[in-house]
Amino acid sequence: FIVLSFLGIAAYQKTSNINFVIIYLSLSSIILELLHTIIPGREFEWADLFGNILGVFFVIIIYKIKNKYV
């Protein structure tokens, strides 16, 4: 999810929609993991959910640090 988050933020970093992208990435990471409860052959795992969310927040922190110093 780090790669997906990085691509999403890189694609929209120069627009005013960056907050929408951040919300979208956060919610999609949660929704995709919750969908594992109804997809046959997949299981919901808390570790995956937290990994997805941490991946999104890690990229957001890097983005904010980059904008602060560049």
Side-chain angles (χ1 to χ4, degrees):
F1 230 86
I2 289 176
V3 173
L4 179 64
S5 299
F6 175 76
L7 291 174
I9 289 178
Y12 287 94
Q13 69 181 347
K14 303 227 187 266
T15 66
S16 62
N17 294 334
I18 192 68
N19 289 332
F20 174 75
V21 172
I22 290 170
I23 292 168
Y24 175 77
L25 289 169
S26 301
L27 288 176
S28 65
S29 68
I30 294 168
I31 291 169
L32 287 174
E33 191 60 37
L34 290 175
L35 285 175
H36 286 179
T37 60
I38 60 173
I39 298 172
R42 302 295 304 242
E43 288 187 24
F44 172 82
E45 293 184 18
W46 285 103
D48 287 344
L49 178 63
F50 290 126
N52 291 349
I53 293 171
L54 285 175
V56 172
F57 286 122
F58 179 71
V59 172
I60 292 168
I61 290 169
I62 290 174
Y63 168 75
K64 298 226 182 233
I65 290 171
K66 179 190 140 303
N67 282 344
K68 185 176 182 180
Y69 294 110
V70 174

